[in-house]
Amino acid sequence: MERFKPSIRFLSSMLDASTGAGAAAPAAPSPSVAPARPVKPIPEDALIVLPLRDAVVFPNTVVPLLVGRTLSQAAVQEAVRQEKPVGALLQSKADVDDPRPDELHWVGTSVAVMRYLTAPDGSHHLVGRGVRRFRVLQFLEGWPFPVAQVQYIDDPARGDPEIEGRARALKDRAMQTLQLLPQVPAEMSAALQALEQPAQLADAVCSVLDIPVAEKQSLLETFDLKSRLDRLLAAVTHRLEVLKVSRDVADRTRESIGDVNRKHLLREQMRVIQKELGEDDENSADIAELDAAIAEAGMPDDVEKAARKELKRLERMPEAAAEHSMVRTYLEWLTELPWRNPEPAGIDIPEARRILDADHFGLEKIKRRILEHLAVHKLNPSGRSPILCFAGPPGVGKTSLGQSIAKATGRAFQRVSLGGVHDESEIRGHRRTYIGALPGNIVQALRKAGTRHTLIMLDEIDKLGAGGVHGDPAAALLEVLDPEQNNSFRDTYLAVPYDLSKVMFVCTANMLDTIPGPLRDRMEVIQLPGYTNQEKLEIARRYLLPRQLAAAGLTEAQCRVTDAALAAIVADYTREAGVRNLEREVGSVCRHVAVRVAEGSVTAMTVDAADLPAVLGPKRFEAEVAMRAGIPGVATGLAWTPVGGEILFIEAARTAGSGRLILTGQLGDVMKESVQAALSLVKGRAGALGIAAEALDRADVHVHVPAGATPKDGPSAGVAMFVALTSLLSGRPVRADVAMTGEISLRGLVLPVGGIKEKVLAALRAGIKTVMLPARNRRDLEDIPQEARAQLEFVWLERVDEAVALALEPAVAVTQEEAAA
């Protein structure tokens, strides 16, 4: 209500000036006006312009003005010297210190300077009286301050009956407004009642009416008195109605709530005001909208009951309450989640097979398992489907397999990355009482998908952060990935059970060792090994090359990459289990052609194997096996890594000493034990191997595994260790085209190891011809692609003697320089 209270003293002085008091000619210049250089006289039809930032002066009103700018002070002082009025113009931009003519409104009021003085703090003040409206015709030059040629606009001396009637109505409403305002003296009502001229009355009401400055300027520019009175009548009538409603509100709220604190009283007044003005419809509409959304969401009975309870709380809660937005956000989450059971999806097994074959080359065993999963789901839609986990090195197509499954089953696809997640609330959500609380990633993904018929891919599940003070995310996933429990999954934010049994979960991982046992037990693991070179060639031809051509903006006619070039990229520029680096190299070739085509040097280009060094640089990989051949003490082992299989060179050297064993290459404890076991086995069979026992006593044996910056561990290098030591001590070099893997025992037995397929593919990539494997790993032969089996010779070892007989060549004389090399 404060906004409707004008300054009593200012209004009284304004009304006095309007009725004749204080309307004498301007006083002589104040002693505060300092002498200045003379300026040429101001023309009779011109005014010195005084720009105003946020005030509008009306005729017949007295106004106090603060003159702060130096240029404005000079202008007012010159007006006082020449006994001239100043022209008050409103700036269009209040923050401009030195406004140009186009930054001023061209309609203003001439102001007679009644007083001009300097306050003790150094500020300059002006008390002036508005005289006449004017319109600027043009701005004149030649003065140190703005001067404008103006045309005065006067209101009619006598109004017609319509104007008189409007003026009387305006005076009545203004008097009623004064009566509703508290603490208004009777003299003010008498002064307002004494105004007879419609123009004077309109200007007086305009001056004291609490409206924006831009609207006041618009009223000043309304030259037609009838239109000006109509606008003022509408504004005063609106404020009068508001004051009436405010008074009624105060009466009703005082009766309804009695003696309560002031803040609550004001809230009730605001609510009733909004209701009377019809402005509370928005809040009511929001409540009605939430009510309809709850009814249409298809929630279970217990969830709907909880939602409606929260809705009633929201309805009774003031909008300014801190909890209002929290409850509203919670209800929006509940209503936007998919609650209804999805319609049974028709799964077309032949179509699913076609999609899998079109999107992925090879991976026959994985595709067969996926089709089995889909077939069971089709025949028994209500059954509990297992959680699939695709495990394999990077770049072999784990994520794209999940997308293909979603496409084949007609499900929405959502990916949730778990890499680095270390907070349980990322899975289960936060308590909604916290600021910024949100549901967990699972619920967020379902809201984004808009349906429970969704496939959610939990990517990089092996890289979950370790649990700490914020809980263990792996433990939170136990409920999500358990088909027997996830039909009542409870997100902490929602605080109601949510059925995840209709959602298909697929996980991906690079390695299984870092996944906690209980979590791994809930998943059916499907291993995705690396690709052979032939498979990579087919993938590059069918998928990678077309995708990179499109990314580079080329057509197949503009860029042709031969199969020989693709095979050379696979063999000489990449060495990985997956195809990500292969795609990067193919993209480099396409971009090279794109540059040539864009600069206009060629219209089409064919890239062959001979062109690759100019595009990709020299070959990055070569046959390391040939470099290691011919020297006793070097054997080629096979190792498994999270990114695929690798060949591993075991190097042994002998120096004069006391029989010590020296190990280097950052070997783990298990691999160190394998070296010890291999050396003990060699010493125990020295005679059968043709090794002089006394030579072992007078020599130190140094075993080194290159790439020392890379940690290495595991028992599967036992056979290679034994063969390398036997080769060193017997002087018989190891065949360069033979690689081996297997754990050994002190009895000379070769024990089975894991990662056979990855190791065999690594041997094939390295140019190995013969692979020696434990005989008890013969069952893993079917996992090896037929192409690899056709190119390799497999030797199945029961005892280490068989490896020595096959891998070692006849003894040769080795010079000291060759041994050192």
Side-chain angles (χ1 to χ4, degrees), residues 211-224:
I211 57 177
V213 175
E215 191 173 345
K216 285 190 176 185
Q217 178 66 29
S218 177
L219 287 169
L220 183 66
E221 295 175 357
T222 304
F223 300 145
D224 183 62

Side-chain angles (χ1 to χ4, degrees), residues 136-210:
V136 175
L137 300 179
Q138 62 176 341
F139 280 83
L140 306 178
E141 297 180 354
W143 285 271
F145 37 76
V147 176
Q149 181 184 5
V150 302
Q151 175 189 3
Y152 289 101
I153 300 170
D154 295 320
D155 292 307
R158 298 182 62 184
D160 57 24
E162 291 186 1
I163 292 179
E164 295 290 343
R166 287 172 169 79
R168 183 176 296 276
L170 178 61
K171 183 183 292 188
D172 292 341
R173 283 169 174 73
M175 295 299 295
Q176 294 178 33
T177 302
L178 290 178
Q179 292 174 4
L180 290 175
L181 288 173
Q183 299 178 358
V184 176
E187 300 83 52
M188 180 176 293
S189 299
L192 185 61
Q193 189 70 35
L195 292 174
E196 296 295 336
Q197 293 295 330
Q200 289 185 354
L201 177 65
D203 290 335
V205 175
C206 283
S207 181
V208 300
L209 193 61
D210 185 26

Side-chain angles (χ1 to χ4, degrees), residues 94 243 678:
L243 285 172

Side-chain angles (χ1 to χ4, degrees), residues 603-614:
T603 58
M605 187 174 177
T606 299
V607 180
D608 204 353
D611 303 321
L612 293 180

Side-chain angles (χ1 to χ4, degrees), residues 252-427:
R252 288 202 299 269
T253 53
R254 190 178 299 110
E255 294 173 0
S256 63
I257 65 176
D259 186 15
V260 294
N261 60 69
R262 180 175 177 274
K263 182 181 291 187
H264 188 66
L265 175 62
L266 292 175
R267 281 207 191 100
E268 287 294 319
Q269 289 177 341
M270 184 182 299
R271 186 177 64 82
V272 178
I273 288 172
Q274 290 175 341
K275 184 175 182 181
E276 292 292 337
L277 294 177
E279 294 177 357
D280 68 331
D281 293 342
E282 182 178 353
N283 188 43
S284 300
D286 290 343
I287 298 295
E289 183 179 347
L290 286 172
D291 184 51
I294 293 173
E296 296 173 1
M299 304 176 184
D301 293 340
D302 54 342
V303 179
E304 184 172 353
K305 182 178 179 181
R308 294 201 175 277
K309 182 178 179 181
E310 292 295 327
L311 183 63
K312 289 181 180 179
R313 287 185 58 213
L314 182 68
E315 195 172 1
R316 295 191 301 266
M317 195 179 300
E319 192 171 353
E323 201 177 357
H324 184 277
S325 61
M326 183 192 72
V327 176
R328 178 185 175 86
T329 304
Y330 172 71
L331 289 174
E332 288 176 351
W333 272 101
L334 282 181
T335 56
E336 292 174 7
L337 282 176
W339 293 96
R340 289 188 172 89
N341 285 327
E343 295 293 330
I347 300 177
D348 189 347
I349 299 299
E351 177 65 13
R353 180 182 285 108
R354 186 196 66 78
I355 292 174
L356 291 173
D357 290 338
D359 292 346
H360 298 84
F361 179 80
L363 306 178
E364 298 301 331
K365 184 177 180 181
I366 290 87
K367 292 178 185 177
R368 184 171 65 251
R369 179 63 190 90
I370 292 173
L371 290 175
E372 292 171 356
H373 174 85
L374 297 181
V376 172
H377 192 71
K378 177 180 180 179
L379 298 177
N380 186 16
S382 60
R384 305 292 187 187
S385 58
I387 309 299
L388 300 181
C389 178
F390 297 141
V396 296
K398 300 185 293 296
T399 303
S400 59
L401 271 174
Q403 294 172 338
S404 298
I405 295 175
K407 188 192 306 183
T409 56
R411 291 176 177 263
F413 178 82
Q414 290 293 318
R415 175 180 170 272
V416 176
S417 178
L418 299 179
V421 172
H422 62 278
D423 192 343
E424 179 190 4
S425 58
E426 295 289 333
I427 308 299

Side-chain angles (χ1 to χ4, degrees), residues 729-747:
L729 298 175
S730 64
R732 298 170 61 187
V734 183
R735 287 172 51 188
D737 62 346
V738 174
M740 60 207 73
T741 185
E743 182 182 358
I744 61 172
S745 70
L746 293 179
R747 294 179 294 165

